[in-house]
Amino acid sequence: MMGRRLRMEDACFVERCFRARPDEALFAVFDGHSGSDVAEQAALGYAQLLADILGAAELPTDPAEVDAAMAKAYADLNERNQAKPVVGGAVAVAVLLKIEGGGDGGASGCSCRLYCSNVGDARAVLARSVSGSGSSVSTPAGDGDGATSGADGGETPSPRLGSASPMASGDAAAIGSSSTANATGAPSDTTTTTITTTTITTTITTCALAEAGVRAVRISRDFKPFDDDEYDRIVSLGGFVSLRDGGRVCDDLALTRSLGDLHLGRYVEPRPHFHSERFGAAEAPFIILACDGVWDALDDDEACAAVLACAPEYTRGASALRDLAFVHGSTDNISALVIDLTPLATSV
C-alpha cells in the first residue's frame, strides 16, 4: 500500500516451494528509501542468490551455515548495487522455513525450523504459544550457533500466506514502509482499538494475547544509530551520529544496516542480525513480516492481537495490519505479510 507517500518504494517476495522443495518456503519484505530501485532489485534477486549459495543439497542443520548463506546473499546483492550504482537503499527482513515431519510436531502435526535474517528496521514477529518449548538462538550480525533439528518425512503441508495486496508464489511484487519496542514477548497492558475497514470490523485488545496463551516474540532486530554497539562502530570508523530525528548516520540515514546507500558504505553495511528457532507447528500460529510503515503505528503486541482477531483466517491479518496502521496515522508505505502456520499443526 502506498499509503500517504507520493510513491511506492517497497517490494515483497514469496516462494512457497523454495529451491523447488515443497518442505521449504521463503518470505521477504524489502523497504526502500530514496527510491525503489534497491528494494525491487532485492525482491527479484535475493531468492536466486540464496538458492545458488545453498546449492542442491538438503538445508544444513547447523544454523551457522544457514546464517552465513543468508548473509552472503545480502552481501552479493550489495555487490550488484556497486557494480551498477543505484540511488537510495532498502532494509530487508527474510524468513526461511523448513517443514519437518515428526520430531517435535508429534501427534500435533509437523515441526518447523525457522531462520530469520534482517538488516535495518524491517521486522519479523512470531506469535508463540506461552507453553511452547522449542529451541532458539539469535546472533547480532551473522554469527550462528548450533540448534536441534528433526528428520524429514511424509507429505509436507504448506503454510498459508496473507499479504496486504495480491501476491503470487515466486513473484516479486511492490505492495506497499523508528520503531516502537516491546521485544520481551510479554503481553502488554490492555489496549483496545475498534477499527472498521473494508476487510475487518473488530475490537482488538492486546490482553487477547494472554487469553489465547500467545505471546509476541520479536525475531529480528531494529538497527538504530544510537544503539550502543552501532554508535561505537560508526564513531570508530570516523563517522558521527547527529541528533536529528532521533539519530542519523552522518546526519543522513536513520538506520545503520541496509542494502545500497553506497554514499554511506563505510558506515552503513548489509551485515544482518540472524535468529533461528525450531518448534512444533502447534506452538506458533503465525509469523508477521512488515516494514516500519506498520511498526511506526503498532507495537508487536498490538500487531499480533490484530492478526489473532482474524482467527481462524490468519491470512486476513495482513489486510487488517495495513488498514489499522493507516487509520493510526502511518505516513509511510505499508507492507505486511502474515504466514499462517496452522495448516502444519493439523497434518500428522
Side-chain angles (χ1 to χ4, degrees), residues 95 97 112 114 124-127 219 279 284-289 337-341:
V95 165
L97 297 179
C112 184
L114 175 154
V125 174
L126 174 67
I219 56 176
F279 49 84
F286 57 84
I287 306 167
I288 300 170
L289 277 69
L337 300 178
V338 174
I339 306 165
D340 181 1
L341 300 175

Side-chain angles (χ1 to χ4, degrees), residues 304-329:
C304 277
V307 177
L308 194 64
C310 299
E313 299 179 34
Y314 292 126
T315 53
R316 296 173 58 214
S319 296
L321 290 174
R322 174 199 64 195
D323 296 346
L324 190 57
F326 186 81
V327 169
H328 276 216

Side-chain angles (χ1 to χ4, degrees), residues 24-276:
E24 294 180 9
L26 180 66
F27 308 87
V29 172
F30 301 97
D31 175 0
H33 48 261
S34 300
S36 61
D37 289 354
V38 176
E40 291 173 356
Q41 291 181 21
L44 291 169
Y46 181 76
Q48 188 58 57
L49 286 170
L50 181 58
D52 291 344
I53 294 165
L54 291 170
E58 284 289 325
L59 193 68
T61 57
D62 182 357
E65 296 183 44
V66 182
D67 173 12
M70 298 182 83
K72 188 176 188 310
Y74 286 135
D76 289 349
L77 279 173
N78 236 35
E79 287 184 8
R80 288 186 177 182
N81 292 332
Q82 292 170 352
K84 184 179 180 180
V86 294
V87 176
V91 299
V93 59
V95 165
L96 174 60
L97 297 179
K98 170 71 172 178
I99 313 304
E100 302 172 324
D104 287 348
S108 299
C110 299
S111 61
C112 184
R113 276 193 279 150
L114 175 154
Y115 305 95
C116 177
S117 184
N118 85 288
V119 293
D121 60 0
R123 190 184 302 173
V125 174
L126 174 67
R128 195 77 154 82
S129 169
V130 172
S131 60
S133 59
S135 59
S136 67
V137 59
S138 291
T139 59
D143 299 320
D145 295 319
T148 58
S149 64
D152 295 334
E155 184 176 347
T156 304
S158 297
R160 289 193 292 258
L161 172 75
S163 69
S165 72
M167 176 72 66
S169 290
D171 291 342
I175 64 171
S177 163
S178 74
S179 305
T180 53
N182 186 347
T184 64
S188 66
D189 293 336
T190 300
T191 301
T192 302
T193 301
T194 301
I195 176 171
T196 302
T197 73
T198 57
T199 56
I200 183 172
T201 302
T202 189
T203 298
I204 298 169
T205 308
T206 55
C207 70
L209 295 179
E211 293 170 357
V214 173
R215 58 195 173 102
V217 180
R218 189 182 302 182
I219 56 176
S220 58
R221 173 184 172 181
D222 294 354
F223 286 98
K224 296 296 185 178
F226 277 117
D227 293 351
D228 289 344
D229 56 342
E230 294 296 273
Y231 179 88
D232 291 344
R233 179 179 62 83
I234 291 164
V235 171
S236 70
L237 292 171
F240 69 95
V241 175
S242 70
L243 296 176
R244 185 166 65 93
D245 300 331
R248 288 182 175 267
V249 178
C250 299
D251 200 36
D252 188 340
L253 192 64
L255 303 158
T256 60
R257 308 282 176 102
S258 73
L259 305 171
D261 295 308
L262 302 180
H263 64 297
L264 294 172
R266 184 176 181 182
Y267 314 111
V268 177
E269 59 184 14
R271 192 160 51 100
H273 170 273
F274 180 77
H275 174 93
S276 67

